Amino acid sequence: MPEYTLPKTYDFESTEQRIYDWWSENGYFRPINDPNLPGFDPSRKPYVISIPPPNVTGELHLGHAMFVSMEDLMIRYHRMKGVPTLWVPGTDHAGIATQLQVEKALAREGKTREQIGREEFLTRTWAWKEKYGGIITQQIRRLGASCDWQRERFTLDDGLSVAVREAFVRLYEKGLIYRGPRLINWSPGLRTAVSDLEVEYSEEPGTLYFFKYLIAGSPGEYIPVATTRPETILGDTAVAVHPEDRRYQAYIGQNVIVPILEREIPVIADEYVDREFGGGALKVTPGHDPNDYAIAQRHNLQIISILDEAARVNANGGPYEGQDRFEARENLWEDMRTAGLTIKEESYTLNVPRSQRGGEIVEPMISTQWFVDIQPLADAALEAVRDGRIKIVPERFTKVYYNWLENIEDWCISRQLWWGHRIPVWYCTDCAKMTVSRDDPAACSHCGGKNIEQDPDVLDTWFSSGLWPFSTLGWPEDTPDFQYFYPTTMMETGYDILFFWVARMIMSGLEFTGEIPFDTVYLHGLIRDEGGRKMSKTYGNVIDPLTVMEEMGTDALRFTLLVGSTPGNDMNLSLKKVEANRNFANKLWNVGRFVTSSISRAPASPQAEPDWTLADSWIWARMQNLVNDVERLFQNYQYGEAGRQIYDFFWGDFADWYIEIAKLQLDEGSDRAYYTASTIAKVLDISLRLLHPFTPFVTEELWGHLQHACKEHDLNIYPAGNWPSALIIAPWPEPRRPEGWEGGRLADFSLIQDIVRAIRNLRAEKGVKPGHRIPAILVSEGKGAVLSNQYKALAALAQLDVEQLSITDHLTTKPERHIGLVVGPVEVYLPLTGLVDQVEERARLEKDLAEIKSQIERLETLLGGAFAEKAPPAVVRKEQEKLDTYIVTAEKLRSQLDALESS
Ligand SMILES: [Zn+2]
């Protein structure tokens, strides 16, 4: 039979797509227990993940690569354990992000969305979605994601739109949704409300303006006030002082005059006022500041809004009407200066709120919006984590979660956008009442009038993605999928969207389905560059996962991300690590080539029962330990550590040690070769299974070859040749109980390893050429039998001369002119003459010494001359340190030469 050979190198380019299509065509991504198919068993508990839906028009970045790799690992592991698994894929319509893309495209044509109108704009956005929406899901496939693509969903598709309406109407009917004026964050650039979470604060240089609030009816008297935003003076409705501040106590209850506008407003007392800041008095602008808004609520103050949607001053701003907020700031201040109302200006560091999307300064504004009364939902969500129904990994994020939900404010859910779920509320022009409905109504539900108009706003994107775990399974209908797969099992995502998304899914899940949406939340960290900096286009340090996959293969990228991560911690990614892991894929391949070709050269069947060598037993015991450890680590979500241990086992124990010994055993032929071949086949098989969730492509490809080689050669490593049809569905290696013999064998082999390492170190130290075999005497009273048994392996691994290797129980006299090493209970003697070629060694040492001497002379001249005085002290010190090192090295070389002399 011809030898079974694999291609020389692993060609990921031709492999990945082929393997992915093959998995997909064979239906391996679909759940093995499907409630929509015959033979369904409802008693089997499934393992379900809903993918964090990426932005439909987005492009793959490392954040996606991270969650796809991690979730695919979890899914593949459970699939191999025989659990019915479902991974639901999909995309999010991502209101603002997508709308901005289309608006940008329009702008290039010189148009605005208002010009083309809502209907045309939406047609264009859907067209945009059709054109670009598939890109991100193709890229996710490229990462090896074993999602059930037949269940792919989109947050704006029909089913999910029904779910959104149902959720809105239910909350409304329960009195948990209301419409009203409230201070919200307004993005003047995007012309929409943005959530607190979408505002980023940056420290920027600014000015603190001091000015006079004149006391009404007391000419010349004033309260000094400071502000960083003078234009808001136009909206002031009070000046507040601390009740215990003696300076201003007399003024409490009096009125002061708003500069330029000359409105009279009261002086009030409130403990919120910081007596140390500015002049100790606070102007109160409830229409444009959240803290002032709270003061206004306490004191029942008037609330004046002075800006329009574009942040221009409105009619309340008197002479400044129509001016931009920053323009009005300058003009008002100038007019106040002329009127003698200004005091001074100071430089001041501001904490500026900027829109995460648009980048412009966010303006707190009073606006009529839709809100969810969030406290009842938040209480339920807190309870679900407190009582342990939902577990957050790592646990420290539980505190963050509590803190956020305990201090949560009502959720503003309306957005002044066109792309999204339009709010299902119709206003009647006849009776002025609202109709809130699951279906588009033809008439007002109150008066029956036909003059109704739908609210122009859409819902916050997170309103629909908050329903994701159940809306994707068919809710509000009680579908077979919803019944069987809900609640889902694992919610895996970045810790940065714990509040945006995870908390909202928990609140919505509990509210609408009465059940937790998932029982575990696993949070991974963010990916930074190798120096620990955030990746950003500004720094130019962004790593594009697509380029990495093209250059080094998907498995290398996945393995790097998975092994580098620990729950909840950020990781630093360098291309060097990816490169090292590409080498690991190549190592796997090379070992695979060796194993398959060894299988085809081994004898076809054994003559007798196996007689395992120490190395055979050792690798088997190590393998079992690994299987145990990986299982334990997986149960504790320590996937990265599990990956590292598999890597170390494969490269170290298996490739570097066992395979080297296996080569000798294979050369012995007959039963020894047969059982050795079956051992390397089994170890490779189990290693590939353990590695499959990390590096699915190379393992599947290699495993196919392994199976083929074993079958072709009748090597029955499985009873009756019972091979599964693919690695992706092959059973996960189950931990076994130790049988008792393992400890002794592990210790014995570890002694062999120690001896080999000691000899290798000495060889390296003495510069013995690789391949040069040297004599040795091994002495051990207790372990003589073990050593004698392993003499061939010892000789091969430590490159000893088999003919001149003596193993004995004890020596009466120590051999002369030998170097002695002590390794545990074993003494190793290596003859110096064998260890080094005297002539060659002397030549090498003398050459090295000559080189060092010339360096010493050069530096002594340098440091003795003008350099030492003229050069900076640090530079001189560096040269001096170099010289010191050379002197020490020279001494060592001399003593080595002396030793050579005396031997
Ligand atoms: Zn009506």
Side-chain angles (χ1 to χ4, degrees), residues 75 254 540 582 588 689 694 730 779 787 797:
I75 286 285
Q254 295 198 36
R582 180 205 53 196
L588 279 170
R689 291 180 196 227
F694 294 89
V779 189
L787 301 184
L797 295 166

Side-chain angles (χ1 to χ4, degrees), residues 17 69 368 385 468 473 566 593 609 656 664 667 674 702:
Q17 187 65 51
S69 303
T368 301
V385 175
W468 187 248
L473 295 174
T566 47
R593 281 188 89 217
E609 286 298 299
D656 288 351
L664 305 172
D667 284 346
Y674 175 87
L702 206 47

Side-chain angles (χ1 to χ4, degrees), residues 508-565:
S508 306
L510 292 164
E511 175 65 25
F512 300 121
T513 69
E515 288 183 275
I516 51 166
F518 30 74
D519 53 49
T520 307
V521 176
Y522 176 97
L523 300 168
H524 64 251
L526 310 181
I527 300 165
R528 299 173 176 276
D529 75 1
E530 57 185 317
R533 282 189 313 173
K534 206 174 167 177
M535 287 192 191
S536 95
K537 280 185 183 150
T538 334
Y539 298 143
N541 61 350
V542 177
I543 295 176
D544 177 1
L546 291 168
T547 316
V548 175
M549 284 192 275
E550 261 157 41
E551 287 171 1
M552 296 189 256
T554 300
D555 288 327
L557 176 65
R558 284 178 57 127
F559 197 71
T560 310
L561 293 173
L562 291 169
V563 167
S565 74

Side-chain angles (χ1 to χ4, degrees), residues 278-300:
L282 178 78
K283 63 189 271 311
V284 183
T285 322
H288 298 282
D289 183 283
N291 297 315
D292 295 5
Y293 183 77
I295 294 177
Q297 303 281 305
R298 287 198 287 277
H299 296 268
N300 222 356

